[in-house]
Amino acid sequence: MPSLTHDEALSRAALVAVEAMEVDLDLDRGPEVFGSRTTITFTCRRPGESTVVDLRPQALHSVRLNGRELQDVLVDGRLRLADLAADNVLEVEATMSYGHDGQGLHRSSDPADGEDYVYGHLFLDAAPRVFACFDQPDLKAPYTVGVRAPEHWSVLGNGGATQVAPGRWELARTAPLATYFVTVCAGPWASVTAEHDGVPLGIHARRSLERPLREQAEHMLATTRTCLDHYHRLFGIRYPFGEYHQVFVPEFNAGAMENPGCVTFRDAYVFRGAASPDQVLERDNTIAHEMAHMWFGDLVTMRWWDDLWLNESFAEYMAYRTSAEALGAPQSWVSFGIVRKLWGYAAERAPSTHPVAGSPAPDALSALQNFDGISYAKGASVLRQLIAHIGDEAFLAGVRDYLRGHAYGNGELAEFLAAMAAAAGEDLGPWAGAWLRTAGADRLELTRTGTLTRRTPEEHPADRPHTLDVAAFDHGREALREDVVLTGERAEVPGVAGLPEGALVVPNAGDLTWAEVALDPGTVAALVDGLADVPDPVARTVVWTSLLGGMHRGEVDPRVVVDVLESAWPREDDAAVLSRVALVVTGTVVPLFLPPAEQAEAMERVAHAADALGQRARGASGPAARAWGLLAARVGARGLRDEARLHRWAAGADLPPELAGDDDFRWLVLRRLAALDALEEAELEAAQEADRSLAGRLAALGVRAARPTPQAKEWAWSTLAKDPELSNYGALEVARGFWVAEDPAVVRPYVGRVGDLLARLEPRMGEDALSRVATALHPKWLVEPATLAASSELLAREDLSPGVHRALLDEDHVLREVLESRRRFG
């Protein structure tokens, strides 16, 4: 069905205004369908004209406009409404299908107890899969929602829910909402409730997660309270949406979704086993991110999808700022650098790079492609540069003015910039043109004589000013720290020329700006012996992102990355750096960039590094030591070839105390054994029997797909192609395990079949879910010229959606980077 275009949205918004939405859902009709009744009250500025309402039903039962029954008006997912009055009431009754791809009204069954759960994820254009609506962000309206559900279920939504009869719930009328924010979450939830500053709070998850939910709820509630207080102080506007519920739902595509009053999260954030500090920090940060959206995105919503940065960049920045300022976690900026900026720089290198703001979104689906590391990580970094440019006081004054001026309505880039310019007392047009409206990352390079140069991408020329610092480290001490404002192509940093020869010199050491840093050869040479001694964790992060970026650009030998990991990683203190660097090295550097003949030895070196970190943990005490032991075991499980040790771990023997009884760690070990073709079917079946949870069922799919045998790969391919019960998460797990095989001959026959499989999946999976599967299914793991030819054929297909094509294009780019690296370094 065609996606709504920007031109259509502009025309419709000029014609109609929505006064109220009433939605009634019947979720008590079994596992496949639900009933949907919608009443839309709206006005028309030019009576007598026509418009369309969006709806994608399984069966349409009735459409009444102003009391008049309409027939045969549903065409391509739209109800054609003619001869509008000045004041209109549209009534629609339909039967809708539950989604199993994480979009629309998603229904999932928990194998742990057989209970079903339903949640609404109406982003980006999935609202018509649930109810009739004007599905565009600038036609906001208050919602009144009623729900019928099985009697033992509870119901949550954007408005406070009241059970008015057995199985019947009514939700309080909401403030004006965009369609994509509406949600209903229904099922036999386990719940923990509280109240803070007059706001009712709730934490909810599947009943089978009740024990860990209750153990972790107070921490999550404390984070919620602190963030709420902090945003009240920052924005000067109280939380505007009544109750505040956070629901951890199964098979959720994204990390979370900022539905006003009822935020949904992936339920992996309710940790079943041991959680490292970076995992807890990530969850805290996600809570802070989604709450920031209550103001940026929900209270004030972008007018159209080309301004999605007004939502995501601000929530990203505010979350990390709040984690550092209010949650007492200054290390959050370390996590931002090593996790989010790595993601963003990869997106910037890809051919699909785009400006932070104003990137064309001719229709709703095309906008989905820009929810990436540029809109999040680069956008947040640009806001840090804006604050460096105009000052924090002016920035916050501009934010408050913008929010007050557009509360409960919509805003766009020009209006935000006007508020900032008024607060700063200067024209921000040139700054915005360079930083927001132009794609590309500048390249910063510092010579040992002290000349800092900036090179702008030729294909995206812009004059971007940079506020940054330069630091140098010598034998574990900070030998230099100088602030620099780079407004041209070069600047001098006088202190660099006098540094010792072996010093590590780090441009952008505080990670304040957005630029790819090219480390000088002397610094790269000194990393093996010197990186672990750098006392500043942010500077260490900048070094790692620069080293890995240089590898992708073909400037750094991937063997150097492994060398530095082996020497510096076991002595690292920050959990986010430990976790992310090891994941990148084991998941990308070794299996892609290193030649096949060197990969087994490199993974053994990673495993030895993990053992060194584990030994360090055993010689220490306290939370840091526990984190090191946990991370050492997880990294070891990804790199070990010692089958006897892996089998002991799978049986629960010789484990760090933190991992005793940890089902998720057991599945990680079993996946490694499967990849080594050392897992017996009886062992896998015993693991499935021992862990009958949804997470266990999904993990088993990935383990089966990772077995490096022709039979396993045929099973995985057939499961993806033919299993109608396979959910979005199940498909992703199978796809992620499919290309695992030390012998490329096992998977080579499938390289040319990826496009046909994706085309077959497209009718039953939404674009968001299928794009993730497409990323995992791209055959880049066979680094061969023939794979590049097959990838080019994939990109030439015309039967794949824009989002899937974008995902494949980015993976094709990675394959080209790898081929060039192997050509250059052998």
Side-chain angles (χ1 to χ4, degrees):
M1 294 179 183
S3 180
L4 183 74
T5 69
H6 190 194
D7 289 342
E8 289 172 331
L10 287 171
S11 297
R12 192 160 64 176
L15 181 65
V16 304
V18 187
E19 301 293 322
M21 294 285 297
E22 296 178 35
V23 177
D24 197 272
L25 303 175
D26 183 357
L27 310 184
D28 200 15
R29 297 187 181 181
E32 299 301 326
V33 299
F34 61 95
S36 173
R37 293 203 314 270
T38 312
T39 301
I40 308 176
T41 304
F42 66 101
T43 60
C44 175
R45 296 181 181 90
R46 299 187 296 275
E49 292 201 14
S50 303
T51 191
V52 294
V53 163
D54 305 296
L55 180 70
R56 299 201 292 274
Q58 187 202 67
L60 179 61
H61 304 306
S62 68
V63 180
R64 295 174 63 85
L65 177 63
N66 300 327
R68 186 174 79 251
E69 195 79 29
L70 304 184
Q71 301 291 336
D72 300 323
V73 293
L74 181 64
V75 180
D76 288 336
R78 293 174 183 172
L79 300 173
R80 310 286 179 175
L81 307 181
D83 193 22
L84 297 175
D87 298 292
N88 302 273
V89 176
L90 177 69
E91 300 166 280
V92 180
E93 184 169 356
T95 296
M96 317 296 284
S97 297
Y98 286 112
H100 300 288
D101 59 353
Q103 294 168 259
L105 207 57
H106 180 95
R107 185 165 181 140
S108 177
S109 184
D110 186 348
D113 56 14
E115 292 286 0
D116 279 13
Y117 294 84
V118 168
Y119 65 87
H121 185 60
L122 276 50
F123 174 87
L124 175 120
D125 66 345
R129 291 171 57 171
V130 181
F131 52 82
C133 58
F134 294 100
D135 191 23
Q136 59 190 77
D138 59 342
L139 288 178
K140 298 170 75 170
Y143 279 76
T144 304
V145 177
V147 179
R148 175 167 297 283
E151 291 187 9
H152 70 294
W153 285 15
S154 57
V155 174
L156 302 159
N158 304 99
T162 301
Q163 185 174 13
V164 296
R168 179 68 189 176
W169 297 75
E170 292 182 358
L171 278 60
R173 190 174 192 261
T174 71
L177 304 180
T179 47
Y180 74 98
F181 289 137
V182 178
T183 192
V184 166
C185 300
W189 303 110
S191 301
V192 177
T193 59
E195 185 173 309
H196 178 68
D197 194 16
V199 179
L201 307 176
I203 307 284
H204 315 268
R206 288 179 287 126
R207 192 169 61 184
S208 62
L209 291 174
E210 182 168 6
R211 181 189 58 78
L213 177 78
R214 295 195 178 280
E215 292 172 351
Q216 298 163 44
E218 183 48 45
H219 179 96
M220 290 187 275
L221 286 169
T223 298
T224 303
R225 296 183 190 104
T226 301
C227 292
L228 194 63
D229 291 342
H230 191 64
Y231 290 142
H232 284 163
R233 289 191 296 269
L234 280 182
F235 302 145
I237 300 173
R238 283 187 57 79
Y239 168 68
F241 295 108
E243 300 185 7
Y244 194 76
H245 295 276
Q246 297 172 96
V247 192
F248 294 83
V249 300
E251 300 177 336
F252 197 69
N253 285 326
M257 179 64 198
E258 64 270 21
N259 313 303
C262 190
V263 179
T264 44
F265 298 78
R266 62 169 59 205
D267 62 8
Y269 281 130
V270 180
F271 307 121
R272 300 195 311 156
S276 60
D278 64 300
Q279 289 178 291
V280 177
L281 178 60
E282 180 188 2
R283 184 179 64 190
D284 286 347
N285 187 270
T286 304
I287 290 172
H289 179 110
E290 302 310 321
M291 187 180 286
H293 272 308
M294 298 299 120
W295 288 266
F296 277 100
D298 297 5
L299 179 65
V300 181
T301 306
M302 60 193 169
R303 190 159 282 117
W304 181 248
W305 300 105
D306 51 2
D307 272 329
L308 66 91
W309 86 286
L310 286 170
N311 288 18
E312 298 305 340
S313 300
F314 277 89
E316 181 91 344
Y317 167 73
M318 286 297 175
Y320 282 96
R321 174 174 178 157
T322 298
S323 294
E325 290 181 355
L327 297 178
Q331 69 272 27
S332 63
W333 287 116
V334 178
S335 177
F336 177 72
I338 198 63
V339 178
R340 307 300 275 185
K341 291 187 81 170
L342 264 182
W343 174 41
Y345 287 140
E348 194 83 284
R349 287 193 303 270
S352 58
T353 186
H354 57 87
V356 173
S359 186
D363 57 51
L365 271 184
S366 65
L368 181 64
Q369 302 167 43
N370 291 336
F371 281 78
D372 58 13
I374 293 172
S375 296
Y376 286 77
K378 183 180 180 179
S381 298
V382 169
L383 286 175
R384 298 183 82 185
Q385 282 294 291
L386 175 61
I387 293 168
H389 183 70
I390 67 173
D392 195 55
E393 185 176 341
F395 172 74
L396 290 176
V399 165
R400 292 171 188 142
D401 182 56
Y402 172 75
L403 291 174
R404 284 192 297 266
H406 298 82
Y408 301 106
N410 299 84
E412 56 190 28
L413 174 61
E415 294 163 331
F416 173 79
L417 289 176
M420 285 292 155
E426 67 171 282
D427 177 17
L428 292 175
W431 183 92
W435 274 112
L436 294 174
R437 294 192 173 99
T438 307
D442 291 344
R443 174 189 172 92
L444 301 181
E445 192 166 2
L446 181 63
T447 68
R448 300 299 281 221
T449 60
T451 300
L452 178 66
T453 59
R454 183 198 73 180
R455 193 172 75 202
T456 300
E458 293 181 4
E459 61 275 24
H460 305 292
D463 186 14
R464 281 179 279 263
H466 293 267
T467 300
L468 68 152
D469 61 354
V470 171
F473 306 92
D474 182 41
H475 292 91
R477 69 178 183 88
E478 187 173 295
L480 173 74
R481 178 81 65 164
E482 291 192 20
D483 295 330
V484 180
V485 178
L486 183 61
T487 56
E489 294 183 356
R490 64 184 62 241
E492 297 301 320
V493 188
V496 173
L499 291 170
E501 184 177 344
L504 279 67
V505 182
V506 187
N508 194 32
D511 207 17
L512 291 176
T513 196
W514 179 265
E516 291 204 316
V517 172
L519 300 171
D520 71 275
T523 295
V524 173
L527 291 178
V528 169
D529 295 326
L531 178 57
D533 295 324
V534 171
D536 181 355
V538 174
R540 296 197 301 272
T541 296
V542 172
V543 169
W544 275 115
T545 57
S546 303
L547 195 66
L548 292 166
M551 180 194 72
H552 277 272
R553 295 191 301 270
E555 299 165 358
V556 173
D557 190 330
R559 299 172 185 87
V560 172
V561 178
V562 178
D563 292 343
V564 176
L565 177 129
E566 188 175 31
S567 64
W569 184 85
R571 296 169 59 197
E572 175 60 52
D573 293 330
D574 188 87
V577 177
L578 284 167
S579 179
R580 181 59 53 163
V581 168
L583 188 63
V584 172
V585 171
T586 57
T588 300
V589 177
V590 174
L592 279 177
F593 282 85
L594 285 184
E598 300 177 28
Q599 291 176 7
E601 180 190 2
M603 290 298 275
E604 280 293 298
R605 293 171 65 189
V606 172
H608 289 321
D611 282 341
L613 179 63
Q615 186 173 359
R616 180 184 174 203
R618 289 188 290 274
S621 60
R626 289 194 293 273
W628 297 338
L630 178 62
L631 291 165
R634 288 175 176 170
V635 174
R638 289 198 293 267
L640 275 175
R641 299 187 71 86
D642 184 342
E643 295 176 13
R645 186 175 174 188
L646 289 168
H647 279 293
R648 290 197 301 275
W649 280 359
D654 300 339
L655 290 173
E658 297 82 13
L659 289 170
D662 191 315
D663 288 323
D664 291 334
F665 180 73
R666 186 185 191 191
W667 284 113
L668 181 64
V669 173
L670 292 175
R671 185 183 177 94
R672 180 61 177 159
L673 284 167
L676 296 172
D677 199 17
L679 182 64
E680 298 293 335
E681 179 65 25
E683 193 172 5
L684 175 54
E685 290 179 354
Q688 289 182 266
E689 184 62 30
D691 182 11
R692 299 177 65 86
S693 68
L694 180 59
R697 181 172 67 183
L698 292 167
L701 288 171
V703 168
R704 289 187 181 280
R707 285 173 154 172
T709 66
Q711 296 82 2
K713 301 310 177 185
E714 176 56 35
W715 168 85
W717 198 265
S718 178
T719 298
L720 283 168
K722 300 177 182 178
D723 186 354
E725 303 298 319
L726 196 65
S727 70
N728 54 327
Y729 266 39
L732 190 56
E733 284 295 325
V734 174
R736 284 173 172 168
F738 180 79
W739 296 107
V740 176
E742 292 189 353
D743 180 3
V746 175
V747 290
R748 192 176 284 124
Y750 297 91
V751 169
R753 297 169 60 186
V754 171
D756 290 340
L757 178 57
L758 291 173
R760 184 167 183 169
L761 287 172
E762 193 155 296
R764 72 174 201 247
M765 295 187 84
E767 181 140 338
D768 190 14
L770 187 56
S771 295
R772 298 167 196 268
V773 172
T775 296
L777 268 184
H778 188 278
K780 68 178 185 293
W781 303 101
L782 270 73
V783 184
E784 302 171 347
T787 305
L788 184 60
S791 181
S792 297
E793 291 176 4
L794 261 178
L795 295 176
R797 294 182 69 121
E798 297 181 353
D799 57 347
L800 300 176
S801 69
V804 170
H805 185 274
R806 159 75 178 268
L808 296 172
L809 178 67
D810 288 351
E811 297 309 299
D812 176 87
H813 175 71
V814 173
L815 175 60
R816 292 173 187 275
E817 288 181 329
V818 172
L819 286 166
E820 175 59 21
S821 175
R822 288 200 187 179
R823 184 196 66 78
R824 184 167 298 185
F825 297 109

